[in-house]
Amino acid sequence: MRSLKEFPAPQLISDSHSLKQMVDSLLVENYVTMDTEFVRESTYWPELCLIQIAGSHQVYLVDALSKTIDLSLLTPLLLEPKIVKVFHAAQQDLEIFLHLFGFLPVSIFDTQIAAMVAGFGNQIGYDSLIESLLNHKVDKSYRFSDWSMRPLTKAQQDYAVADVTYLWSAFPILYEKLRLDNRLSWVASEMELLSNPDFYLPPIEKICKKLGAKIRNGRSLACLSYLIQWREEKAQKVNIPRHHFIRDESLIAIAVALPDTVKTLEKIRGINRDFANGQDGQSVLEIIKKAKAIDSESLPTPFIYKNPVEKPSEALVSLLKVMLLAKCEIYKVAPKLVASSKDIEKIALGYRDLEIFTGWRHEVFGKDAIDLCEGKLMISVQDKTLKFVKV
């Protein structure tokens, strides 16, 4: 077993004075490991309950629910560029910090993404990564614990501590592997995406495509888009999950039926009388009126292929997927990080303005994908492995 850093018992932080002392002590570190625990079942925004932070000498459990703590005191640590903030699967943690503080921590490092770059597979879990790097098994049985409960049990504290202490020992090992493989720049390019606040905006377009996939009427699609945006804003304002405010099925039914009165709105499945007769019902009717006023030439195109010619060749898509797997075996990088199924389909259709054709992805897969599509590359089998031969 590789040596693990021994930490003293965790220090519980529940007041502003202790938090400031913690931050002051950590400002001398080269890196800290961080994690958060939260609950989200009944709210739109995650409710932050606990922040775990480990430095070289101490691990801290910051009680985010304490009424005597000012979390803004974390700002000097979060914005210090010389200190790397190490997370595993950082997206939700960073979303919480962005909502809480209005900014993202600087100098972040996501070990899940780094592990994908280093060849540990697609979206490797924390426990699997720690076992791979440190040969140590992590108990994840408290993953779905109620973190809003106070006081925290000893088992909860132990679990929370493990999420940052083992990571503190694993980070330099993973970092060194990436350095030796000349892939730190690959990780840095991925961290740029996580450091962009726009990355955490609500996925309005994605939701529209998902819900509008079966709508073939442009006016109904425009109405659905307006309704989705309105629901997102309302759910954020009252801080409830979007589906608790109004369900997807009801939005689709409204967009298809385009009711123009309270009585016809009441007949939509999932819409009760109080909703239809209230302020929200009036807002929905105004949205429908707005959608009906759009001139025909300005209506959106339904999310379907315009004609059969735009459908990619299934054979070419399959061949590109085989190439992706083979190239990722050679470079020892996770296929999911390199290209998605949608990327493959677009490549087969002839799109060339994709992220896959920039940076390290172009070197790993993009340039050969183009050559394959243009008949400049052949795939052969030698010694039970795939080889790529220029034509």
Side-chain angles (χ1 to χ4, degrees):
M1 179 184 294
R2 292 173 176 172
S3 61
L4 294 171
K5 169 75 176 180
E6 292 293 333
F7 285 88
Q11 184 174 338
L12 300 178
I13 305 293
S14 59
D15 63 84
S16 294
H17 178 71
S18 300
L19 183 62
K20 186 179 185 307
Q21 285 185 322
M22 180 202 79
V23 169
D24 290 342
S25 69
L26 291 174
L27 288 176
V28 299
E29 301 283 357
N30 293 319
Y31 71 92
V32 295
T33 51
M34 303 184 68
D35 190 29
T36 65
E37 305 298 344
F38 55 89
V39 293
R40 197 176 193 169
E41 287 75 13
S42 59
T43 59
Y44 183 95
W45 303 109
E47 182 183 6
L48 181 61
C49 299
L50 191 70
I51 305 173
Q52 306 100 284
I53 307 177
S56 57
H57 302 293
Q58 182 67 54
V59 58
Y60 303 90
L61 300 180
V62 180
D63 185 359
L65 297 180
S66 172
K67 298 183 184 302
T68 59
I69 197 166
D70 177 8
L71 293 177
S72 68
L73 293 171
L74 284 168
T75 299
L77 174 64
L78 298 177
L79 294 183
E80 174 50 62
K82 295 180 181 179
I83 304 175
V84 178
K85 292 83 182 175
V86 183
F87 297 84
H88 185 83
Q91 183 174 336
Q92 285 190 309
D93 302 307
L94 296 176
E95 180 187 23
I96 289 173
F97 285 124
L98 179 60
H99 174 62
L100 186 64
F101 299 115
F103 62 81
L104 290 166
V106 300
S107 304
I108 59 174
F109 188 97
D110 187 331
T111 55
Q112 185 177 70
I113 292 176
M116 293 170 74
V117 170
F120 286 87
N122 287 325
Q123 293 183 313
I124 185 171
Y126 177 71
D127 48 348
S128 298
L129 180 63
I130 296 304
E131 186 169 2
S132 296
L133 293 177
L134 301 175
N135 194 28
H136 181 86
K137 290 186 179 296
V138 178
D139 181 8
K140 300 294 288 184
S141 58
Y142 276 81
R143 180 178 305 176
F144 302 109
S145 177
D146 181 2
W147 292 101
S148 64
M149 180 181 67
R150 292 294 182 274
L152 295 173
T153 66
K154 175 65 164 56
Q156 284 180 307
Q157 293 183 39
D158 290 344
Y159 171 92
V161 165
D163 272 351
V164 288
T165 52
Y166 297 130
L167 191 61
W168 200 92
S169 296
F171 166 67
I173 299 172
L174 180 59
Y175 187 92
E176 181 64 10
K177 175 175 173 53
L178 291 163
R179 188 188 69 80
L180 293 174
D181 292 340
N182 294 315
R183 295 191 180 180
L184 286 173
S185 62
W186 295 18
V187 176
S189 68
E190 300 307 302
M191 293 305 102
E192 289 181 7
L193 177 63
L194 283 180
S195 298
N196 183 357
D198 290 344
F199 179 72
Y200 303 90
L201 292 174
I204 302 296
E205 184 177 351
K206 183 177 180 180
I207 297 172
C208 285
K209 288 183 177 181
K210 176 186 175 183
L211 300 189
K214 296 182 180 180
I215 293 180
R216 299 293 179 260
N217 180 280
R219 197 168 303 282
S220 291
L221 193 59
C223 182
L224 179 65
S225 177
Y226 291 149
L227 288 170
I228 289 171
Q229 180 67 53
W230 168 76
R231 180 180 68 172
E232 208 69 24
E233 293 172 357
K234 288 288 293 187
Q236 290 179 12
K237 186 176 181 179
V238 297
N239 196 23
I240 61 173
R242 58 175 69 94
H243 302 307
H244 287 195
F245 180 63
I246 182 170
R247 297 184 64 81
D248 292 346
E249 296 81 1
S250 297
L251 288 186
I252 295 172
I254 292 171
V256 170
L258 296 174
D260 55 3
T261 66
V262 171
K263 286 188 176 181
T264 51
L265 181 59
E266 285 180 9
K267 296 178 180 179
I268 299 296
R269 183 177 179 182
I271 301 299
N272 59 43
R273 181 173 296 179
D274 289 341
F275 182 98
N277 284 273
Q279 184 178 352
D280 291 329
Q282 286 301 311
S283 296
V284 169
L285 292 175
E286 287 297 320
I287 288 171
I288 294 169
K289 184 178 179 180
K290 179 181 176 182
K292 286 183 175 181
I294 301 174
D295 63 87
S296 299
E297 294 181 356
S298 301
L299 292 174
T301 303
F303 300 120
I304 57 175
Y305 291 115
K306 294 180 182 179
N307 57 64
V309 176
E310 288 192 343
K311 289 186 178 180
S313 162
E314 292 184 11
L316 180 55
V317 168
S318 297
L319 197 57
L320 285 166
K321 288 181 177 179
V322 168
M323 170 182 271
L324 175 63
L325 290 174
K327 296 288 288 185
C328 288
E329 282 184 1
I330 294 171
Y331 281 89
K332 293 182 173 56
V333 61
K336 190 170 184 178
L337 188 65
V338 178
S340 68
S341 295
K342 290 295 183 183
D343 291 331
I344 296 294
E345 290 181 3
K346 288 182 178 180
I347 293 170
L349 283 169
Y351 289 85
R352 296 295 180 262
D353 57 340
L354 305 173
E355 187 180 3
I356 191 70
F357 302 123
T358 62
W360 64 269
R361 289 180 174 84
H362 186 62
E363 179 67 26
V364 171
F365 176 66
K367 63 180 181 180
D368 284 343
I370 292 176
D371 286 345
L372 180 68
C373 292
E374 295 179 352
K376 299 176 182 178
L377 193 72
M378 289 176 34
I379 300 178
S380 65
V381 179
Q382 298 177 23
D383 300 325
K384 299 180 180 180
T385 58
L386 293 185
K387 303 294 182 181
F388 303 95
V389 183
K390 295 284 186 179
V391 177

